[in-house]
């Protein structure tokens, strides 16, 4: 059912909201009717719920409210809050509050909306929807707009997928964020400087539900489904060593895009010292791993290791067998310089090895950005002739380890904390 005439009405005369105030009681004389949607600025919800903090500046509060920093430029911080919102300064606001204080987002804006809705029903006997709104910036767009951070009794999304447009074209991706649109419409009459923290949106009774509903949770896209899930601060740290993979197949094109990142690494003498062998055939992968295992066992026996020790060491390569896809990065020395003495020749190779490492790291990071897990294993370095034979590679290609690729079977463990200061020497 579509809307006809829609009105957006400012609610004036509320005065200053203080901790402990009952918002439903404050709205008793706002002229509410059945089917109205009440849009409340989160700032007064925070004030009523005592989410006011004494602070000389916002820095400490932002850090406490932040789950992860998504991006940072100068003093501007875009962070994810524990509520799941990605927004500037974790929603900590120093405006419209007494000097020396900051406002934090409500603990649970959906619960706040439910309380106001229940209070209005008890006081006035009206069936309303309630939205708690806040101001967000938007990637790729200038300007701010209000969105819903809490809701009760309002349909948050309208899913048109499976339908057709007026020309009969199928709609495959159209899901409208109704609660956000209503929040933005209400802001037109509230304004930042008008001192009007509440608006009524009338004419959308068909979006008001009998039950409180799911709140804004359906509006928050899960990170795994978000093409932009990694902010600029996240990308490098997105690379994690994954040792257990699911059965989900790997998209070969995603791996090829990761190779594109690999070959963007720096290299000496304007060379391109990287080659990436994509082992996509299951039969070839098994043949390679079996041949490598035999070579390792022979080497370990030759070094005097016992069978139990050999078995333990061999198990370290199981991650390669569990992975549905392998990449073998190879170093080529084309374009390298030859010198008269071994010292400079050794340094020349080291330069190329460093470039190879940069290429592999780029590959691993981009695999993570593509949603793929990976583990770099140095194993091929111990049996290069075997690897070259099985994969039919030129003698001039040096396999520099093997990368297991796949979808993680479980989230990786948290990183061990490391302080950069422990790895820095200043002169």
């Amino acid at each position: 059912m579509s809307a006809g005439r829609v009105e957006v009405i400012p609610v004036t005369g509320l005065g200053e909201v203080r901790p402990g105030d009952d918002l439903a009681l404050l709205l008793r004389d706002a002229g509410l009717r059945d089917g109205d949607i009440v849009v409340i600025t989160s700032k007064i919800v925070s004030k009523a719920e005592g989410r006011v903090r004494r602070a000389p500046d916002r820095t400490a509060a932002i850090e406490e409210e932040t789950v992860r920093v998504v991006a940072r430029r100068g003093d501007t911080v875009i962070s994810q809050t524990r509520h799941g919102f990605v927004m500037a300064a974790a929603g900590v606001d120093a405006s419209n509050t007494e000097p020396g204080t900051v406002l934090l987002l409500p603990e649970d804006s959906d619960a706040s909306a439910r309380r106001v809705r229940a209070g209005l029903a008890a006081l006035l006997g009206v069936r309303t929807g309630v939205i708690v709104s806040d101001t967000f910036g938007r990637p790729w767009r200038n300007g701010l707009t209000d969105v819903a951070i809490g809701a009760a009794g309002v349909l948050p999304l309208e899913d048109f997928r499976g339908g057709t447009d007026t020309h009969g074209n199928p709609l495959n991706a159209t899901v409208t964020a109704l609660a956000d649109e209503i929040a933005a419409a209400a802001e037109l009459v509230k304004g930042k400087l008008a001192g009007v923290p509440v608006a009524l949106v009338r004419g959308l009774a068909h979006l008001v539900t009998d039950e409180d509903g799911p709140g804004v949770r359906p509006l928050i896209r899960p990170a795994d489904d978000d093409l932009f899930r990694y902010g600029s601060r996240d990308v490098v740290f997105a690379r994690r060593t994954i040792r257990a993979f699911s059965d989900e197949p790997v998209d070969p094109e995603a791996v090829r895009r990761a190779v594109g990142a690999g070959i963007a690494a720096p290299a000496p003498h304007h060379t391109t010292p990287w080659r990436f062998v994509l082992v996509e055939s299951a039969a070839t992968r098994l043949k390679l791993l079996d041949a490598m295992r035999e070579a390792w066992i022979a080497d370990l026996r030759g070094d005097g290791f016992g069978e139990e020790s050999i078995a333990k060491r061999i198990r370290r390569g199981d991650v390669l067998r569990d992975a549905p896809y392998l990449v073998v990065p190879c170093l080529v020395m084309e374009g390298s310089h030859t010198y008269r003495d071994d010292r400079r020749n050794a340094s020349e190779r080291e330069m190329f090895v460093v470039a190879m490492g940069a290429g592999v790291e780029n590959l691993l990071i981009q695999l993570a950005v593509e949603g793929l897990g990976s583990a770099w294993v140095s194993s091929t370095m111990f049996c290069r002739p075997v690897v070259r034979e099985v994969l039919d590679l030129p003698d001039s290609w040096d396999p520099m380890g093997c990368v297991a690729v796949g979808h993680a079977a479980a989230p990786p463990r948290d990183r061990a904390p490391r302080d950069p200061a422990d790895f820095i020497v200043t002169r």
Side-chain angles (χ1 to χ4, degrees):
M1 177 180 175
S2 62
R5 177 187 174 92
V6 177
E7 296 179 84
V8 184
I9 305 163
V11 176
T12 58
L14 292 181
E16 181 67 21
V17 175
R18 303 191 180 281
D21 282 350
D22 184 334
L23 294 179
L25 191 61
L26 292 178
L27 295 171
R28 180 176 53 186
D29 299 324
L32 277 162
R33 302 178 188 172
D34 267 337
D36 283 352
I37 298 174
V38 185
V39 182
I40 307 172
T41 301
S42 68
K43 302 300 178 293
I44 67 166
V45 177
S46 295
K47 288 180 179 181
E49 294 179 354
R51 296 284 287 160
V52 184
R53 172 182 169 148
R54 286 278 169 193
D57 59 53
R58 295 193 298 168
T59 304
I62 292 170
E63 291 177 355
E64 291 174 9
E65 294 292 299
T66 294
V67 172
R68 69 182 176 108
V69 174
V70 175
R72 186 191 300 271
R73 179 176 296 169
D75 294 333
T76 301
V77 177
I78 307 299
S79 55
Q80 179 181 332
T81 72
R82 63 178 180 277
H83 319 81
F85 307 132
V86 176
M87 58 193 307
V92 177
D93 199 344
S95 63
N96 294 310
T97 185
E98 293 180 7
T101 66
V102 294
L103 293 174
L104 312 181
L105 290 180
E107 285 280 1
D108 182 343
S109 296
D110 285 333
S112 303
R114 291 193 295 269
R115 284 192 292 271
V116 173
R117 185 183 195 228
L120 292 172
L123 285 169
L124 304 174
V126 290
R127 175 177 171 271
T128 62
V130 175
I131 289 174
V132 178
S133 68
D134 206 311
T135 303
F136 277 48
R138 300 161 297 161
W140 316 111
R141 305 279 288 185
N142 286 320
L144 306 172
T145 187
D146 266 30
V147 302
I149 66 167
V154 179
L155 194 65
L157 295 169
E158 188 165 16
D159 192 344
F160 292 97
R161 291 173 298 182
T164 57
D165 64 17
T166 55
H167 297 283
N169 299 310
L171 299 175
N172 299 317
T174 304
V175 182
T176 301
L178 295 172
D180 285 346
E181 291 185 331
I182 296 167
E187 181 60 14
L188 293 173
V189 301
K190 290 191 295 175
K192 297 301 175 192
L193 303 177
V196 179
V198 180
L200 308 182
V201 179
R202 184 167 291 159
L204 297 176
H206 60 289
L207 301 181
V208 176
T209 59
D210 292 332
E211 303 299 325
D212 285 336
V216 300
R217 186 57 51 188
L219 290 164
I220 302 174
R221 180 181 290 124
D224 287 344
D225 297 337
D226 197 325
L227 293 176
F228 302 95
R229 61 188 177 279
Y230 296 126
S232 58
R233 283 285 296 263
D234 296 325
V235 173
V236 171
F237 298 98
R239 187 217 62 79
R240 304 295 297 277
T241 296
I242 302 298
R243 299 191 179 280
F245 299 96
S246 71
D247 295 331
E248 184 178 352
V250 171
D251 178 6
E253 292 306 311
V255 179
R256 284 162 172 76
R257 289 191 292 269
V259 170
I263 62 177
H269 312 319
H270 305 288
T271 58
T272 54
W274 322 276
R275 302 293 184 271
F276 294 92
V277 183
L278 310 185
V279 186
E280 297 180 340
S281 163
T284 301
R285 187 164 65 249
L286 183 60
K287 182 179 178 181
L288 172 65
L289 296 177
D290 285 345
M292 288 168 58
R293 181 192 291 262
E294 291 178 11
W296 298 337
I297 291 174
D299 282 345
L300 291 169
R301 284 176 178 161
D303 292 336
F305 286 93
E307 295 305 312
E308 184 177 344
S309 178
I310 290 174
K312 182 178 180 181
R313 290 169 179 267
I314 290 299
R315 280 197 298 272
R316 294 173 185 170
D318 285 348
V319 63
L320 300 178
R321 291 188 175 272
D322 291 341
Y325 197 108
L326 298 180
V327 178
V328 180
C330 295
L331 170 66
V332 298
M333 295 293 292
E334 295 174 4
S336 62
H337 296 173
T338 301
Y339 300 96
R340 292 175 297 171
D341 61 277
D342 291 341
R343 176 184 60 82
R344 286 193 290 173
N345 285 327
S347 296
E348 183 77 3
R349 178 173 173 80
E350 286 175 348
M351 289 166 51
F352 276 72
V353 170
V354 169
M356 188 72 222
V360 171
E361 180 69 0
N362 278 12
L363 171 84
L364 299 178
I365 291 171
Q366 188 61 33
L367 286 171
V369 171
E370 295 284 348
L372 292 168
S374 64
W376 178 79
V377 181
S378 60
S379 52
T380 65
M381 295 181 177
F382 296 93
C383 52
R384 283 173 172 147
V386 170
V387 175
R388 282 192 284 259
E389 180 181 354
V390 173
L391 297 180
D392 191 23
L393 304 179
D395 291 342
S396 59
W397 289 26
D398 274 348
M400 303 295 285
C402 189
V403 179
V405 182
H407 293 274
R413 290 178 296 180
D414 290 338
R415 291 180 183 274
R418 294 175 181 170
D419 186 345
D422 295 337
F423 301 86
I424 295 172
V425 176
T426 303
R427 295 287 187 261

